[in-house]
Amino acid sequence: MRYETRRRSGGGIWQIAVMAAIAAAIYMGYQKLQGGVSADQLNVNAASAILIDATTGEVMYAKNADTPMAPASMSKMMTEILVLDGIHGGTLKWQDPVTASLYAAQVPGARLGLNHGDVTTVRELFDAMTIYSANDAAVALAEHVGGSETAFTELMNDRAARIGLSEEAVFGNASGLSLSDISHLEGAAAERDTLLTAHDTAKLAGYLIGKYPEVLEVTSRRSVKVPTKGQTFAATNWMLEDQPYAYPGNDGLKTGYTPVAGYCFTGTAKRDGKRLISVVMGASSKEERFTETIALYDLGFGSSGRGIQAASGR
């Protein structure tokens, strides 16, 4: 009788072990089907990347996140902060007129097409810089706020210190262009290149949307109309609704590209009360900066949120 009891007891333990193994296998299979992956398993195809829980500050993923690199136009987030400082501080108004300098008219890259002497408003320039990443808009705003881009750059670096960015963070100009792109232009801040770590870039983004959450009303727009130019410009963020890499909850934040920096993207998304901030630096293509952000979001939210088009991109 004792022997039979032990047999049943041992069999029960064996059955429990088998059931546990089956449950684990089912769970792992479900995770694979859902596109789930752990931080240890994930390898973002970019030079540097980071994922942060914006509420808790937890770093959920990091790859070379403390290595300073060229951020390209992601550095415009600091230009946005300084403009919003002026708006909230009363030194700037959205409808203030801004006259484009010769330098603003000549700066290369993404542009509104400002000509020397063109007059636009702070609002138009801010929205075009934020949504379309217009370099001429960034320069015009910098010169309007600081008097010159060089003086504005000093404001950027001072603000970086007060925000608490690392000593590795250096702002060289208002647009994020490489020094070699603008050093020949009169009026350009041409002393240094901009360098940021992915960690500092994420911290900058968190500060921006934390202090000025209204900026998300701008960054979530799929296009920007500039009445004084009579043109509409498409958003560079392809993760917004109805875009090729649309991701539920994505509402920003800033793309970037130069030949030196590669393709970059600082993203943010909010789902079920949880907001993530991601940074991808040095991706090899426009598409890859978004597919790698999708992988980070999926990790952060613990599920697959990508759509059919986005899934085909990985």
Side-chain angles (χ1 to χ4, degrees):
M1 189 74 176
R2 249 182 273 165
Y3 172 75
E4 288 298 316
T5 302
R6 283 174 187 168
R7 266 184 73 184
R8 284 196 296 271
S9 176
I13 293 171
W14 180 82
Q15 287 176 336
I16 291 170
V18 170
M19 290 173 66
I22 292 172
I26 291 172
Y27 175 76
M28 291 301 293
Y30 175 77
Q31 286 295 92
K32 288 180 181 178
L33 286 171
Q34 291 297 305
V37 66
S38 71
D40 291 338
Q41 294 171 318
L42 182 62
N43 183 23
V44 172
N45 293 322
S48 176
I50 196 168
L51 177 69
I52 290 179
D53 184 319
T55 303
T56 66
E58 176 192 359
V59 176
M60 306 178 76
Y61 177 88
K63 176 182 179 179
N64 300 327
D66 292 314
T67 301
M69 298 181 181
S73 287
M74 295 192 300
S75 66
K76 287 188 176 86
M77 289 188 290
M78 182 62 87
T79 303
E80 294 171 30
I81 288 170
L82 290 175
V83 171
L84 289 167
D85 283 346
I87 293 294
H88 284 258
T91 58
L92 282 180
K93 292 183 173 58
W94 287 122
Q95 295 309 311
D96 284 350
V98 179
T99 303
S101 68
L102 180 60
Y103 168 43
Q106 293 176 332
V107 69
R111 297 174 41 81
L112 292 180
L114 292 177
N115 297 309
H116 186 198
D118 280 357
V119 178
T120 48
T121 66
V122 169
R123 176 90 264 178
E124 289 175 313
L125 295 172
F126 182 87
D127 289 358
M129 172 184 68
T130 304
I131 298 169
Y132 177 61
S133 201
N135 293 326
D136 49 357
V139 169
L141 284 169
E143 293 178 325
H144 184 71
V145 172
S148 68
E149 187 179 46
T150 298
F152 185 81
T153 300
E154 292 177 8
L155 296 176
M156 297 175 84
N157 285 302
D158 177 67
R159 200 72 166 88
R162 287 191 286 133
I163 290 172
L165 302 191
S166 74
E167 293 183 358
E168 306 287 352
V170 179
F171 290 88
N173 57 63
S175 65
L177 286 168
S178 298
L179 183 60
S180 58
D181 293 325
I182 60 173
S183 59
H184 63 288
L185 298 176
E186 185 177 351
E191 292 183 8
R192 62 180 72 89
D193 272 311
T194 297
L195 291 173
L196 292 174
T197 67
H199 206 158
D200 279 332
T201 305
K203 191 170 186 177
L204 182 66
Y207 182 88
L208 171 61
I209 64 177
K211 186 171 181 63
Y212 300 120
E214 68 269 23
V215 76
L216 293 170
E217 298 173 10
V218 180
T219 61
S220 60
R221 288 160 52 189
R222 289 167 290 173
S223 63
V224 54
K225 185 176 182 180
V226 183
T228 57
K229 296 297 292 181
Q231 289 181 271
T232 298
F233 300 87
T236 57
N237 179 2
W238 289 1
M239 295 188 72
L240 297 172
E241 186 179 2
D242 294 331
Q243 297 300 298
Y245 295 89
Y247 195 98
N250 177 268
D251 50 6
L253 195 59
K254 193 71 202 71
T255 59
Y257 170 77
T258 67
V260 173
Y263 292 90
C264 307
F265 181 55
T266 298
T268 185
K270 185 177 182 179
R271 289 166 60 177
D272 300 323
K274 182 177 185 177
R275 179 170 290 282
L276 301 177
I277 294 173
S278 62
V279 177
V280 171
M281 302 179 77
S284 62
S285 69
K286 285 183 181 179
E287 295 78 11
E288 189 172 64
R289 63 183 169 188
F290 298 122
T291 59
E292 299 313 294
T293 299
I294 287 170
L296 289 170
Y297 284 169
D298 284 353
L299 171 66
F301 289 121
S303 64
S304 178
R306 69 191 88 172
I308 293 173
Q309 288 175 300
S312 67
R314 276 193 65 80

